[in-house]
Amino acid sequence: MTELQKKFFSIGVIPVIAIEDAEKAVPLARALVKGGLPAAEVTFRTAAAEEAIRRIATEVPEMLVGAGTVLTREQADRAIAAGSQFIVSPGFNPDITRYVIEKGVAMMPGTATPGEMEQAMSMGLDVVKFFPAEQNGGVAKLKALAGPYGNLRWMPTGGVNTKNMMDYLSFDRIIACGGTWMVKKDLIEGEKWDEITRICKEAVHTMLGFELAHVGINCANEEQAQQTAQTLCAIFDVEYKPGNSSIFAGSMVECNKAPGRGANGHIAIATNNVDRAIYHLGLRGVKFDESSRKEDAKGNTKAIYLQDELAGFAVHLVKK
């Protein structure tokens, strides 16, 4: 993936904005950043789109901002001049797609059929918009297409919301989802920035899906680990699971046979996607111990420790 594609993937949810008043663009962008979604596809459905993009690009540089609903070369030129980092179209127009690519700007044309996807791939694209997603078969259709199009990734938009976005994001060929539910017209016009931030935070919370996986206890030796695990198993009627370096009492507690990370042990937090969690926790100032990163065969992070201990416990993220 390119650096821009990696950012799309890390953010996970890209707000799709139709804004009528460019004066509202900057406070809206700041509300999105505060909510953990520092990205916006500003659609060219309104007269204010170009100026909104310009103001966001200038005054909120931490935002990933691009233009959507780009239908003509003239719109593409205006969007790029205003500071768009990417261009999105609702359908596949070979002329516009080729024009933007030749400009050296990231292009994400809308596709709904295998034929459109193949045309985009013939132009060197490996990420396309899937629109309208729900009306065109949703994630089930994309999974059916994943076999023949092994190098293609999608950004589904249209009908995606908090309730169904994990159906999409759980599929590893989805780079991100586009959505409007956090930037509805009435919220923008009413300048309900705190509500927009709240909805964004809810989306991030759902996307990451943090939950306690287990607690690890540092035991002095194997004998203490056995005794501790056996006691926990007897009390809570869970399975005794011996391993090479530790013994699990069910799935709740890991008893280390020798002291490991953390003065007292470790806390394992499970998440839907470790790489997205690293990005979003990083926005909150959390730092990670890169030496502890473990990856799967595809290069995706499956576990990593936070840099700092909490109350004598090391904390690490693990893939659900």
Side-chain angles (χ1 to χ4, degrees), residues 14-312:
I14 309 300
V16 180
I17 299 165
I19 189 166
E20 301 284 351
D21 182 359
E23 293 290 337
K24 294 181 171 64
V26 169
L28 171 58
R30 288 175 176 157
L32 295 174
V33 170
K34 188 176 180 180
L37 296 180
E41 175 192 326
V42 182
T43 67
F44 259 66
R45 298 178 186 178
T46 70
E50 180 181 357
E51 181 61 21
I53 291 170
R54 181 175 290 107
R55 294 191 183 196
I56 292 171
T58 301
E59 299 185 46
V60 195
E62 63 270 36
M63 281 281 286
L64 174 62
V65 63
T69 321
V70 174
L71 303 175
T72 67
R73 291 189 176 202
E74 182 260 346
Q75 287 179 332
D77 287 338
R78 287 165 51 204
I80 294 168
S84 292
Q85 296 167 263
F86 60 93
I87 301 292
V88 182
S89 61
F92 182 77
N93 183 321
D95 177 64
I96 300 303
T97 301
R98 189 176 295 108
Y99 182 74
V100 174
I101 292 172
E102 289 173 353
K103 288 276 187 178
V105 177
M107 178 64 187
M108 198 178 301
T111 62
T113 67
E116 291 170 337
M117 294 173 192
E118 287 188 21
Q119 289 183 73
M121 292 169 67
S122 73
M123 294 182 182
L125 297 179
D126 56 8
V127 176
V128 295
K129 180 178 180 177
F130 179 54
F131 177 81
E134 282 292 281
Q135 293 83 347
N136 275 300
V139 70
K141 180 174 180 177
L142 296 180
K143 287 181 177 179
L145 291 168
Y149 302 135
N151 295 322
L152 193 61
R153 288 172 175 259
W154 296 277
M155 184 172 81
T157 305
V160 182
N161 53 51
T162 306
K163 293 181 180 179
N164 66 10
M165 71 175 185
M166 285 313 302
D167 294 337
Y168 290 96
L169 291 176
S170 295
F171 182 34
D172 63 4
R173 299 281 292 281
I174 303 298
I175 192 168
C177 287
T180 61
W181 74 91
M182 74 292 291
V183 284
K184 292 292 188 183
K185 182 178 180 180
D186 61 321
L187 295 175
I188 297 173
E189 291 184 350
E191 300 184 5
K192 297 180 180 179
W193 312 131
D194 289 343
E195 178 65 5
I196 289 172
T197 293
R198 184 195 68 77
I199 298 171
C200 289
K201 287 183 176 180
E202 179 184 53
V204 172
H205 180 77
T206 300
M207 176 172 57
L208 299 181
F210 289 129
E211 60 183 40
L212 179 66
H214 65 265
V215 174
I217 300 173
N218 284 341
C219 298
N221 49 49
E222 184 172 356
E223 181 181 2
Q224 187 183 59
Q226 291 173 340
Q227 293 175 347
T228 304
Q230 288 169 351
T231 300
L232 288 167
C233 290
I235 293 173
F236 297 106
D237 191 23
V238 293
E239 184 181 358
Y240 182 85
K241 300 178 180 178
N244 292 330
S245 60
S246 65
I247 304 168
F248 269 89
S251 59
M252 302 181 298
V253 181
E254 180 182 16
C255 302
N256 295 318
K257 296 179 180 180
R261 286 180 177 266
N264 302 316
H266 66 269
I267 300 170
I269 304 295
T271 181
N272 292 324
N273 188 286
V274 178
D275 287 302
R276 285 194 177 110
I278 291 169
Y279 172 81
H280 283 278
L281 292 183
L283 294 179
R284 304 172 194 175
V286 178
K287 297 185 184 302
F288 294 87
D289 179 0
E290 286 296 329
S291 69
S292 71
R293 186 189 293 263
K294 295 182 180 179
E295 297 180 343
D296 62 19
K298 294 182 178 180
N300 303 310
T301 306
K302 61 181 182 179
I304 193 170
Y305 274 89
L306 275 63
Q307 192 173 85
D308 299 325
E309 293 183 12
L310 295 175

